[in-house]
């Protein structure tokens, strides 16, 4: 009974070490060993994020509608009223929570793959930055863990820099999900939101944009090293207009998390994916990972493959309110060259061969 009470106390305290140490003291009938328990917690932590991203918004919307048909309609009406008042908050810097960003669950999330963040150069708190994150993968696990939480120690590695991971603006129209995302410092990837962060929020801001977006997600699969970047120049023009330095970021292993069926250009299914992408802003991918209970079965749990995120050297960008196409092209080429050099410098350290190349589409 004492050990069970100790485990319950550990849960209330909310620290991973206390939970595990308490559970370790339980009889073997409850938990076979500490390492297995740790692995279970890692799987649960990743699964809750995947399910939250896929279904939390829709589930909370349906729950809210259902509450209007019950005696709890007053609560639902109060939340809707508050939602209307708070509607523009995501576009005005959001509402990040250092407490949520430091939850113990994110350390289990990190250790499942595991995910690492590597710093190559210092960033000055007196400047603002636009991070270009590559590749997209299916769920951007590396981007979320490194920039949406403190699991890999971003604030300690880059003191004075506040990251804001940009994602689809549509996610912030869903109740509860919007607050969950904002608490991690995640913002809508639209002009108003990014303008606010880079011009009216002081300095030391780093907006993280997954440049390839939905189009790139359709091409991701294990063993593929390609990014969608050739015709993506909007983020470069924005950096010039705001005088924010460009920072290339590459995550080795991001494409290894899931296996995907890639349809060839011109096929019916490929056309359907592109139509959904145009209408909804994201492309529905046909992918699978491992099962929840058996590693050799199919499911939505990602494969536990290492993801290493390299933050490259910043490219100093002048402030030009109305940059010409030639200037945008010049800095775009500089960015591509910097990203290519970053990939080539680190590729052999993370499982790739010297002959492997980064394909830029």
């Amino acid at each position: 009974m004492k050990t069970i009470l100790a485990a319950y106390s550990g849960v209330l305290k909310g620290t991973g070490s206390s939970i595990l140490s308490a559970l370790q003291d339980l009889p073997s009938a409850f938990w076979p060993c500490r390492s297995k328990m740790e692995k279970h917690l890692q799987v649960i932590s990743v699964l809750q994020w995947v399910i939250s991203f896929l279904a939390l918004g829709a589930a909370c919307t349906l729950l809210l509608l259902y509450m209007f048909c019950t005696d709890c309609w007053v609560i639902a009406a109060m939340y809707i009223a508050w939602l209307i008042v708070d509607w523009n908050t995501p576009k005005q810097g959001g509402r990040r929570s250092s407490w949520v960003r430091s939850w113990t669950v994110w350390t289990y999330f990190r250790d499942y793959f595991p995910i690492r963040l590597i710093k190559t150069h210092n960033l000055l708190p007196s400047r603002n930055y636009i991070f270009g994150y590559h590749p997209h993968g299916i769920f951007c696990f590396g981007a979320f863990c490194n920039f949406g939480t403190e699991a890999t120690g971003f604030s300690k590695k880059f003191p004075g820099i506040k990251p804001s991971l940009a994602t689809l603006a549509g996610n912030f129209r869903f109740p509860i999900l919007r607050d969950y995302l904002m608490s991690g410092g995640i913002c809508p990837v639209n002009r108003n939101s990014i303008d606010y962060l880079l011009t009216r929020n002081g300095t030391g801001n780093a907006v993280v944009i997954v440049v390839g977006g939905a189009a790139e997600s359709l091409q991701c699969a294990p063993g593929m090293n390609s990014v969608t970047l050739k015709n993506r120049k909007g983020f470069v023009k924005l950096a010039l207009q705001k005088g924010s330095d460009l920072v290339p970021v590459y995550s080795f292993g991001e494409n290894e998390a899931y296996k995907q069926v890639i349809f060839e250009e011109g096929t019916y299914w490929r056309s359907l994916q592109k139509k959904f992408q145009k209408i909804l802003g994201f492309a529905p991918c046909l992918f699978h990972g491992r099962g929840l209970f058996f590693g050799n079965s199919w499911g939505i749990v990602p494969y536990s493959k290492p993801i290493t995120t390299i933050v490259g050297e910043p490219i100093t960008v002048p402030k030009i309110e109305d940059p010409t196409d030639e200037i945008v092209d010049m800095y775009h080429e500089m960015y591509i060259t910097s990203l290519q050099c970053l990939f080539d410098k680190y590729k052999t350290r993370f499982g790739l061969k010297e002959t492997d190349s980064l394909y830029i589409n």
Side-chain angles (χ1 to χ4, degrees), residues 64-77:
L64 204 61
L65 292 173
Y66 171 74
M67 288 174 67
F68 273 110
C69 303
T70 68
D71 293 338
C72 298
W73 68 268
V74 176
I75 298 174

Side-chain angles (χ1 to χ4, degrees), residues 65-138:
L65 292 173
Y66 171 74
M67 288 174 67
F68 273 110
C69 303
T70 68
D71 293 338
C72 298
W73 68 268
V74 176
I75 298 174
M78 290 174 64
Y79 180 82
I80 291 294
W82 177 83
L83 194 62
I84 294 171
V85 173
D86 193 59
W87 192 253
N88 289 324
T89 298
K91 295 184 288 187
Q92 298 173 348
R95 191 167 42 244
R96 78 174 55 223
S97 166
S98 56
W99 174 66
V100 173
R101 286 174 59 87
S102 301
W103 276 353
T104 302
V105 67
W106 306 132
T107 63
Y108 292 119
F109 183 101
R110 174 200 67 199
D111 294 339
Y112 172 78
F113 293 94
I115 296 173
R116 294 168 56 203
L117 178 66
I118 294 182
K119 167 186 174 180
T120 62
H121 292 78
N122 291 325
L123 298 181
L124 300 175
S126 58
R127 298 284 293 174
N128 283 329
Y129 301 90
I130 293 180
F131 286 18
Y133 184 88
H134 313 270
H136 184 285
I138 298 291

Side-chain angles (χ1 to χ4, degrees), residues 7 20 35 49 62 76 78 80 93 106 115 117 137 151 178 198 270 283 319 357:
L20 281 174
S35 62
W49 169 248
L62 292 174
M78 290 174 64
I80 291 294
W106 306 132
I115 296 173
L117 178 66
R178 67 192 294 275
L198 297 179
R270 186 66 162 189
K319 185 174 182 178
S357 299

Side-chain angles (χ1 to χ4, degrees), residues 7 10-11 14-24 31 33-49 103-113 290 292-293 301:
V11 171
T15 60
S17 57
S18 60
I19 295 172
L20 281 174
S21 59
L23 291 173
Q24 179 64 21
W31 306 111
C33 64
R34 181 189 179 94
S35 62
K36 284 188 177 180
M37 184 59 201
E38 226 171 24
K39 194 63 181 176
H40 292 327
L41 289 173
Q42 290 170 7
V43 171
I44 292 170
S45 68
V46 173
L47 187 61
Q48 68 82 25
W49 169 248
W103 276 353
T104 302
V105 67
W106 306 132
T107 63
Y108 292 119
F109 183 101
R110 174 200 67 199
D111 294 339
Y112 172 78
F113 293 94
R290 48 155 288 190
L292 179 59
F293 301 106
V301 180

Side-chain angles (χ1 to χ4, degrees), residues 125-350:
S126 58
R127 298 284 293 174
N128 283 329
Y129 301 90
I130 293 180
F131 286 18
Y133 184 88
H134 313 270
H136 184 285
I138 298 291
F139 282 105
C140 300
F141 290 117
F144 169 72
C145 185
N146 288 307
F147 307 118
T149 79
E150 284 296 327
T152 54
F154 182 92
S155 295
K156 292 180 181 178
K157 292 178 180 178
F158 298 98
I161 305 298
K162 185 165 60 176
S164 297
L165 176 60
T167 187
L168 286 175
N171 289 325
F172 295 87
R173 299 189 182 103
F174 290 105
I176 308 301
L177 176 63
R178 67 192 294 275
D179 302 290
Y180 191 26
L181 295 176
M182 282 194 292
S183 65
I186 300 174
C187 67
V189 62
N190 59 31
R191 184 75 185 216
N192 292 336
S193 175
I194 296 174
D195 276 355
Y196 184 93
L197 290 168
L198 297 179
T199 59
R200 288 183 282 172
N201 202 41
T203 59
N205 298 290
V207 177
V208 185
I209 300 175
V210 186
V211 179
E216 192 173 85
S217 68
L218 292 175
Q219 296 292 340
C220 71
M224 293 192 70
N225 307 304
S226 64
V227 298
T228 302
L229 181 58
K230 268 185 183 177
N231 297 316
R232 302 294 173 102
K233 300 179 182 180
F235 74 106
V236 176
K237 185 176 182 178
L238 184 62
L240 286 161
Q241 290 173 332
K242 306 303 175 187
S244 302
D245 295 347
L246 288 166
V247 182
V249 180
Y250 194 87
S251 271
F252 292 92
E254 185 72 65
N255 285 343
E256 310 298 316
Y258 287 106
K259 294 178 181 178
Q260 180 184 188
V261 178
I262 299 179
F263 301 105
E264 294 183 6
E265 292 290 342
T267 62
Y268 170 78
W269 293 109
R270 186 66 162 189
S271 300
L272 191 62
Q273 286 178 317
K274 288 188 174 182
K275 284 181 181 178
F276 269 98
Q277 179 188 334
K278 192 173 182 179
I279 296 170
L280 303 176
F282 67 91
C285 303
L286 188 59
F287 65 91
H288 74 85
R290 48 155 288 190
L292 179 59
F293 301 106
F294 303 101
N296 57 353
S297 61
W298 287 15
I300 62 170
V301 180
Y303 295 107
S304 54
K305 302 290 185 179
I307 298 174
T308 306
T309 303
I310 316 291
V311 179
E313 181 178 4
I315 301 168
T316 303
V317 175
K319 185 174 182 178
I320 305 174
E321 291 186 4
D322 189 19
T324 63
D325 291 342
E326 290 75 16
I327 293 176
V328 172
D329 288 344
M330 181 180 74
Y331 278 94
H332 186 254
E333 283 299 321
M334 289 171 62
Y335 180 87
I336 289 177
T337 301
S338 182
L339 178 65
Q340 190 82 59
C341 291
L342 185 70
F343 177 86
D344 290 337
K345 182 178 179 180
Y346 289 93
K347 62 184 178 182
T348 55
R349 303 187 194 182
F350 304 111

